[in-house]
Structures are given as C-alpha cells and as structure tokens.
Amino acid sequence: MANRFGIPEDVEKRIRERDLNCVYCHKSMISPYEPSNHNDSATIEHFREEGPFYWKDGLKEDDLAICCGNCNSKRSRLTLKEWFKTDYCIKNNINENTVAEPVKEFISRNNLSS
C-alpha cells in the first residue's frame, strides 16, 4: 500500500533502507515516525520545493530521501540553496558539501551548486 504521497511501498522501503541517518544533519532517527518525538523521527523529504509532491503527478525516487523531522520542518519549502544559508544550517554545519550522497546527487543532477 502506498503512503499518503502515493509513493509505492518498494520505493519507500529502498529509501528508508538507504537513509538510516538524516541526509542533512546525519543524526540517527526514530522509525517508524513518532508524533510525540517529531524532531528525531524519520520523515520523507521531497527535494523539490515546488513539487511534484505526489507519485501520480510525477514524483520520482530521485526526488526523495529520509531526514529527521527537525531538518524537514526547518527547511519547509525553501530551496536547498536558500535553506543552506539559514542560521539553522550554518549552526549545524549543513551545506552542499556535508549532506549525504542522495542530496549531493540531486544538487548535481539539477545544477544547483553554488
């Protein structure tokens, strides 16, 4: 059964197995998601800030990763470039050089390097 974004189970399983730590801050995460501990829970991250956000609309596996609820909330709908300039990212040393490989690959594929 697909999740609320329509992401097929096999795709979600692959990204969850790949991204055991937050792709941004690298901390270990709680899985499955615990609403009482949102900041430390593993959440699905959509790299594209303007979508598509649903599988049926063209969301692709390469547009997804798993990050902690704290990073996901802090990023919100900012572009990666915008987000990397925020106090949160600067304080936590989150930038295009320190993020996990799936983020680096998305940045490279979409010519988003600084």
Side-chain angles (χ1 to χ4, degrees):
M1 178 177 195
N3 66 20
R4 68 185 177 120
F5 300 105
I7 301 165
E9 278 185 38
D10 63 318
V11 172
E12 184 174 348
K13 182 178 185 223
R14 273 195 303 276
I15 63 171
R16 286 190 183 279
E17 287 173 352
R18 179 193 70 200
D19 304 334
L20 298 176
N21 294 320
C22 176
V23 295
Y24 297 125
C25 72
H26 306 288
K27 74 177 171 185
S28 296
M29 299 174 288
I30 298 167
S31 189
Y33 179 84
E34 287 183 18
S36 64
N37 197 347
H38 170 77
N39 286 346
D40 295 325
S41 288
T43 63
I44 295 175
E45 167 68 322
H46 300 77
F47 294 133
R48 297 186 181 280
E49 67 280 355
E50 294 182 10
F53 299 115
Y54 296 93
W55 200 258
K56 68 179 177 59
D57 296 330
L59 181 64
K60 302 285 185 224
E61 187 169 349
D62 290 345
D63 297 335
L64 300 168
I66 303 299
C67 72
C68 70
N70 197 33
C71 284
N72 203 335
S73 294
K74 297 290 185 190
R75 178 169 175 228
S76 187
R77 292 205 180 213
L78 294 173
T79 65
L80 286 170
K81 278 186 175 184
E82 292 169 333
W83 189 55
F84 290 155
K85 294 176 185 174
T86 66
D87 290 342
Y88 176 83
C89 286
I90 293 166
K91 177 183 168 204
N92 291 289
N93 194 33
I94 299 170
N95 59 62
E96 65 183 74
N97 298 313
T98 63
V99 294
E101 203 57 37
V103 187
K104 289 178 181 177
E105 290 171 5
F106 178 83
I107 290 169
S108 177
R109 261 192 323 277
N110 292 280
N111 300 314
L112 301 176
S113 292
S114 304

